[in-house]
Amino acid sequence: MKALVAVKRVVDANVKVRVKPDNSGVDLTNVKMSINPFCEIAVEEAVRLKEKGTVTEIVVVSVGTKDAQEQLRSAMALGADRGILVETADEVGALEVAKILKGVVDAEKPELILLGKQAIDDDSNQVGQMLGALLGAGQGTFASEVKVDGGKVQVTREIDGGLQTVELGLPAIITTDLRLNEPRYAALPNIMKARKKPLDTKSPADFGVTTGTKLKTIKVEAPAERKAGVQVKSVDELVEKLKNEAKVI
Amino acid sequence: MSILVIADHNNQTLNGATLNVVAAAQKIGGDITVLVAGSGAQAVADAAAKVAGVSKVLLADNAAYANQLAENVAGLVADIAKGGYKYVLAASTTTGKNLLPRVAALLDVSMITDIISVESANTFKRPIYAGNAIATVQSDEAIIVGTVRGTAFDAVAAEGGSAAVEAVAEANDAGISKFVSEEIVKLDRPELTAARIVVSGGRGVGSGENYHKVLDPLADKLGAAQGASRAAVDAGFVPNDFQVGQTGKIVAPDLYMAIGISGAIQHLAGMKDSKVIVAINKDEEAPINSVADYWLVGDLNTVVPELVSKL
């Protein structure tokens, strides 16, 4: 069974981003970039399925600038077999990414398609679901457990009240939640080997997709600052403040 | 302009989050229709009909919609939306987030996640980068599809409306997914996202046993809901649906008590709009202190019981 994993290059999760003074976006110059943490979990899950013998080949795909090659190489160092970069310097919305991924799926014909549940930059949580609609495939979103059994896959999903398990036919789309697995670290020999793995470059036009989005970002601002708080020295002082100053209890 | 609001429910009761979505819809302005897609969900439709500001309720009652499988419900919503709606809105719950992008793709439109403010009929604000930036976005799509962050809008009244309930006959079973089972955590406390007071524990509480030993009496005393940081959830202290944060639940109670929580960016994204934040932590340098209104440095195992005794 072939697995396709989509990965996104995003600002590293530990970086505190700053909004540009002209409010056009956040400042990403000289900021550390990484694989989106949810995408890393998706790669790890595919690798584990390969180690179990369920998956035979893992293809990683990324849509973005040339620099996204780095993240594809990282995914290959974790165990993916080859990479596809759909290169574009333009802004691409979630719908357009889903359309490009549909093109990749049509060409590659994977049976499992794994994505992160959301990217930590735009926080959209949309691409997997949109791809499901475009392909007419089932979706197991926010997955914390995946079991592939014959022609079906059972996905345990994290929902607001607890957990829900659904069964999907193949091809199926799975978007990963944090608790699905603990991604491994890439060992140096694997990083070296990953450099030699095949990496194809495509363009959105190869899949007949026009980049851009009908969702224009007009302005990006810093959130309102909270006013500085005070340290209280004792429980009595805390109770007094909550009762008389904040009046919340 | 007509607005279609997708009801969030469990076939028996209407989730309060829907009332916040109706509030956002009122800010946009227009006729508000609520769609209840479920199985044996007449009571939910009746409840939706009483919600202030709702002019019509559509009830699609069919076994295919029993468990809110996105594959089945999305087709239904897209068909109804094509019948003349300008907006399709749902709550930013896991159900809404699972469903709406699928609807948007079927309609071939972009979608807006987590609307926190309505600026005009086609312009909205939403948080990005774990709430470290707020983007103003304008949608040029023919149908505007979006999820609404409940904590950003005051709920409309659950009573006072008198909308008519109309049945929808369409039964859309895509046949590509099947519900297997569900494991719902039973709670005797208020629901996390709707609670006025939230008591949250982090890695600092040490263990699941200690979480309950220390935090339960405080939550009981305050009538509070209980939450947790991702670290506490990952360590297995409490189930994942306790998680407050960028990828968990977003809360904005009157009082948020962060106990043994350091305050990672991902956690702050889920609670920094709370009215009053209290941090109890043994680390004087913990990032949580930078957003707290009051912080107390001390051992939570002695401070919290003392607090309980003095409340």
Side-chain angles (χ1 to χ4, degrees):
Chain A
M1 172 179 301
K2 192 196 264 191
L4 182 80
V5 186
V7 301
K8 186 176 184 184
R9 172 184 170 87
V10 297
V11 65
D12 188 86
N14 299 313
V15 172
K16 177 128 172 57
V17 294
R18 262 177 243 282
V19 171
K20 288 185 196 167
D22 67 355
N23 293 115
S24 62
V26 300
D27 196 351
L28 295 180
T29 45
N30 300 322
V31 167
K32 187 182 176 209
M33 304 293 278
S34 302
I35 289 196
N36 178 45
F38 292 97
C39 302
E40 207 172 11
I41 292 169
V43 173
E44 174 68 29
E45 194 62 21
V47 174
R48 289 186 189 192
L49 287 168
K50 192 178 175 190
E51 286 167 349
K52 274 191 215 156
T54 311
V55 162
T56 47
E57 189 189 21
I58 303 168
V59 182
V60 278
V61 56
S62 192
V63 179
T65 59
K66 204 177 187 64
D67 297 331
Q69 279 189 13
E70 283 172 38
Q71 279 62 45
L72 288 171
R73 291 287 175 207
S74 310
M76 288 190 264
L78 293 174
D81 296 294
R82 60 190 172 90
I84 301 171
L85 172 63
V86 183
E87 196 180 325
T88 169
D90 303 336
E91 192 188 348
V92 211
L95 180 65
E96 290 70 28
V97 171
K99 286 179 177 176
I100 291 169
L101 292 178
K102 178 185 186 293
V104 176
V105 170
D106 288 344
E108 294 284 338
K109 310 229 174 337
E111 283 151 299
L112 276 183
I113 303 144
L114 295 125
L115 304 91
K117 78 163 174 179
Q118 77 190 64
I120 60 164
D121 52 359
D122 62 33
D123 285 333
S124 285
N125 196 332
Q126 296 178 6
V127 175
Q129 295 90 312
M130 286 181 160
L131 181 58
L134 299 177
L135 292 170
Q139 64 186 48
T141 52
F142 327 141
S144 61
E145 198 182 346
V146 174
K147 276 191 225 154
V148 185
D149 186 13
K152 300 221 183 303
V153 53
Q154 278 211 350
V155 181
T156 301
R157 309 176 50 233
E158 300 203 349
I159 60 169
D160 283 337
L163 298 170
Q164 181 193 64
T165 304
V166 293
E167 187 177 271
L168 311 169
L170 300 177
I173 289 163
I174 293 159
T175 76
T176 61
D177 216 317
L178 287 165
R179 276 158 292 276
L180 181 57
N181 62 46
E182 187 85 39
R184 69 195 65 192
Y185 289 99
L188 188 60
N190 291 341
I191 296 172
M192 304 302 284
K193 265 187 243 163
R195 289 190 193 165
K196 296 201 184 76
K197 290 183 178 175
L199 201 170
D200 285 340
T201 303
K202 302 269 186 194
S203 79
D206 293 339
F207 305 105
V209 180
T210 322
T211 53
T213 168
K214 282 190 176 168
L215 213 55
K216 284 189 209 126
T217 300
I218 298 175
K219 190 166 68 175
V220 175
E221 305 156 280
E225 292 262 341
R226 288 187 73 94
K227 67 172 173 41
V230 293
Q231 180 175 358
V232 292
K233 297 291 178 210
S234 67
V235 170
D236 288 319
E237 191 186 347
L238 178 62
V239 172
E240 191 274 321
K241 295 266 193 203
L242 290 177
K243 278 194 173 144
N244 303 322
E245 196 175 272
K247 295 190 172 65
V248 284
I249 54 171
Chain B
M1 281 194 287
S2 35
I3 304 172
L4 184 65
V5 169
I6 315 302
D8 205 291
H9 67 91
N10 61 0
N11 293 318
Q12 279 130 40
T13 49
L14 183 67
N15 183 344
T18 307
L19 304 177
N20 305 92
V21 183
V22 172
Q26 283 184 330
K27 289 243 159 73
I28 295 169
D31 249 15
I32 301 170
T33 301
V34 174
L35 170 65
V36 177
S39 178
Q42 184 67 45
V44 180
D46 293 342
K50 289 193 198 117
V51 172
V54 173
S55 50
K56 189 165 74 175
V57 174
L58 298 175
L59 172 61
D61 210 313
N62 191 284
Y65 310 133
N67 299 292
Q68 306 289 324
L69 292 175
E71 295 82 355
N72 298 350
V73 181
L76 169 78
V77 175
D79 285 347
I80 294 173
K82 281 180 205 156
Y85 288 93
K86 170 71 186 164
Y87 299 88
V88 180
L89 303 176
S92 281
T93 54
T94 49
T95 314
K97 286 184 169 169
N98 187 43
L99 173 67
L100 273 216
R102 200 166 172 112
V103 172
L106 291 177
L107 296 170
D108 194 26
V109 298
S110 304
M111 182 194 139
I112 309 166
T113 302
D114 270 342
I115 293 170
I116 55 168
S117 155
V118 175
E119 301 293 295
S120 76
N122 69 347
T123 311
F124 307 88
K125 285 190 177 179
R126 62 174 301 260
I128 53 175
Y129 290 91
N132 285 302
I134 307 296
T136 304
V137 293
Q138 180 188 316
S139 174
D140 295 336
E141 298 285 9
I143 302 178
I144 295 178
V145 179
T147 57
V148 172
R149 179 175 287 190
T151 58
F153 296 89
D154 292 331
V156 298
E159 300 284 336
S162 56
V165 179
E166 263 176 45
V168 179
E170 183 176 328
N172 179 33
D173 189 344
I176 47 178
S177 60
K178 205 172 80 185
F179 171 83
V180 178
S181 63
E182 208 160 65
E183 209 179 295
I184 298 296
V185 182
K186 292 250 179 289
L187 289 177
D188 303 326
R189 301 179 196 282
E191 209 263 314
L192 186 51
T193 52
R196 204 182 66 78
I197 301 179
V198 173
V199 171
S200 244
R203 202 199 302 270
V205 300
S207 68
E209 200 185 319
N210 209 43
Y211 177 100
H212 290 293
K213 192 179 130 212
V214 177
L215 266 51
D216 286 5
L218 180 60
D220 286 340
K221 196 99 185 193
L222 294 169
Q226 287 183 315
S229 69
R230 179 185 154 191
V233 172
D234 283 350
F237 299 173
V238 286
N240 63 282
D241 57 317
F242 278 53
Q243 187 184 327
V244 172
Q246 179 189 18
T247 61
K249 288 183 182 165
I250 312 288
V251 301
D254 287 346
L255 173 61
Y256 187 88
M257 304 196 77
I259 296 165
I261 293 178
S262 65
I265 297 176
Q266 115 91 24
H267 185 73
L268 300 183
M271 46 64 81
K272 68 184 162 63
D273 291 325
S274 305
K275 203 186 273 170
V276 176
I277 298 172
V278 170
I280 297 174
N281 207 303
K282 64 173 190 251
D283 179 7
E284 197 143 350
E285 305 294 320
I288 190 86
N289 298 344
S290 70
V291 300
D293 296 280
Y294 307 108
W295 73 90
L296 180 59
V297 177
D299 182 354
L300 61 93
N301 292 306
T302 54
V303 168
V304 177
E306 186 187 344
L307 179 60
V308 173
S309 71
K310 286 177 174 161
L311 282 170

